Amino acid sequence: MASPSHRRSPSKRRTGLVPAVAVAAVVLVISLIMALRPDGDPTAGHAATAPVAGSQSTTPQTARSASPKPKPKPKPKAKPKPKPSKASPTAPSAKTTPPSPSARTAPQPVSASAPLAGRIRPEGTYEGVATFYDAGDGNGACLYGPTDDLMTAAMNHTDYETSKACGAYVRVRAANGASVTVRITNECPLPCAPGQLDLSAQAFAKLAIPSAGRIPVTWSLLSPSTSGTISIRYKTGSSPHWCGIQAVGHRNPVARLEVRDGGGWRRLARTEYNYFLSEQGSGCGGAIRITDIYGEALTVDALAIRPDVLQPTRLQFAAH
């Protein structure tokens, strides 16, 4: 029988072999795992490893400096729209559209701030053309009635200016040096252009032969000498409840007409047909004040309302 010492020696050798076998098995397993990875790259597991805090980036410094990440540009702030100023409204002004002929047939109120001379001014010289028409008995849009003096003319629609030109005396000059003085008694409707005068045939014959038909002219406002005085006429249909009043035979164009109303003067609206209307009857039959384009005011004592009858006065505007 072997001694105990000989039985323990084989046991020690078996104990020493166990760790070696375990290590070999582990190495084999690891090798199999690495061989079975889809990409077969033994370093693939390290590429996805997040860098440790505080470590430098693996991106080369030269690459970062060559193509720096652009900083986002700040978006421009929208400028607030300016609010329209009360002193400078954005609404268009200046450009006014002239009313249509149908709209201008209604009485037009006279503005207290309107210049007395209107479009035709005493110091102006106007260029245009002269044509002619059959003036008949001399009556026209100004409703002065028939006249024996046919040195008359119709003013173009624009310069007629709601009958402000009615009764004006103008001197017309042709390019050949001939001239004639006419009184405005009518309106030449559109398409008569600004500056155009449509003369009576008799007045045109003073400037050129009728076959010329249309000639260039210049013309200017006159304040002629006259021995006549102004007359007042109430329109047909006038009464203490409604009346139309006009002045006839004035040397200078009439700028406004007023009637005595209570303790003051009330300005009347002027019509296209050269009458000033009191539609509510205020001042009808009372005192009348007429003012010319030079600012001279003449007061006519109260007159009876006699429709369509010329009532003479002893008054006349001064010459200028």
Side-chain angles (χ1 to χ4, degrees):
M1 170 184 270
S3 65
S5 58
H6 294 288
R7 287 197 292 266
R8 285 197 294 270
S9 296
S11 175
K12 289 180 181 178
R13 285 195 297 269
R14 288 195 299 269
T15 303
L17 292 173
V18 171
V21 171
V23 170
V26 170
V27 171
L28 178 62
V29 169
I30 291 174
S31 300
L32 289 174
I33 291 173
M34 297 301 295
L36 293 175
R37 287 180 60 86
D39 52 5
D41 184 2
T43 63
H46 299 285
T49 304
V52 179
S55 64
Q56 293 183 356
S57 169
T58 57
T59 304
Q61 185 67 25
T62 54
R64 285 208 309 267
S65 60
S67 55
K69 184 177 181 181
K71 295 182 180 179
K73 295 183 180 179
K75 295 182 179 180
K77 296 182 179 180
K79 295 183 179 179
K81 295 182 180 180
K83 296 182 179 179
S85 171
K86 292 183 179 179
S88 303
T90 56
S93 69
K95 194 170 184 181
T96 54
T97 303
S100 62
S102 59
R104 290 175 63 94
T105 57
Q108 302 294 314
V110 179
S111 171
S113 62
L116 296 182
R119 286 182 58 87
I120 303 175
R121 309 188 67 84
E123 68 275 12
T125 299
Y126 302 87
E127 296 182 355
V129 297
T131 52
F132 69 91
Y133 73 109
D134 182 4
D137 60 6
N139 195 17
C142 296
L143 296 186
Y144 287 133
T147 178
D148 294 332
D149 181 6
L150 291 178
M151 292 297 106
T152 60
M155 182 61 72
N156 68 82
H157 174 78
T158 303
D159 294 323
Y160 183 77
E161 200 177 5
T162 316
S163 76
K164 285 183 181 180
C166 284
Y169 289 89
V170 297
R171 176 175 289 127
V172 187
R173 296 183 182 276
N176 60 10
S179 66
V180 64
T181 297
V182 296
R183 183 168 65 113
I184 304 302
T185 61
N186 208 348
E187 177 185 10
C188 183
L190 296 172
C192 277
Q196 182 173 349
L197 292 172
D198 203 20
L199 306 177
S200 67
Q202 293 86 341
F204 188 89
K206 302 284 186 180
L207 302 177
I209 58 175
S211 60
R214 181 186 182 96
I215 60 172
V217 295
T218 59
W219 53 273
S220 55
L221 183 66
L222 295 180
S223 177
S225 59
T226 178
S227 58
T229 58
I230 296 171
S231 296
I232 299 295
R233 178 161 51 201
Y234 278 94
K235 195 179 187 308
T236 302
S238 293
S239 72
H241 310 291
W242 178 94
C243 64
I245 307 170
Q246 74 171 177
V248 182
H250 41 87
R251 185 200 312 267
N252 307 319
V254 172
R256 59 191 179 210
L257 187 147
E258 301 160 286
V259 293
R260 177 74 73 179
D261 185 12
W265 293 98
R266 179 170 174 265
R267 187 184 301 185
L268 301 185
R270 193 170 198 162
T271 67
E272 287 275 358
Y273 50 87
N274 195 36
Y275 273 89
F276 295 82
L277 295 186
S278 177
E279 299 197 55
Q280 305 303 321
S282 301
C284 294
I288 300 168
R289 184 166 71 180
I290 54 177
T291 305
D292 70 2
I293 63 171
Y294 299 97
E296 182 181 2
L298 303 175
T299 301
V300 180
D301 293 336
L303 296 171
I305 301 175
R306 301 172 60 192
D308 206 27
V309 174
L310 279 176
Q311 301 189 60
T313 71
R314 296 181 179 180
L315 305 174
Q316 183 59 269
F317 294 122
H320 290 267

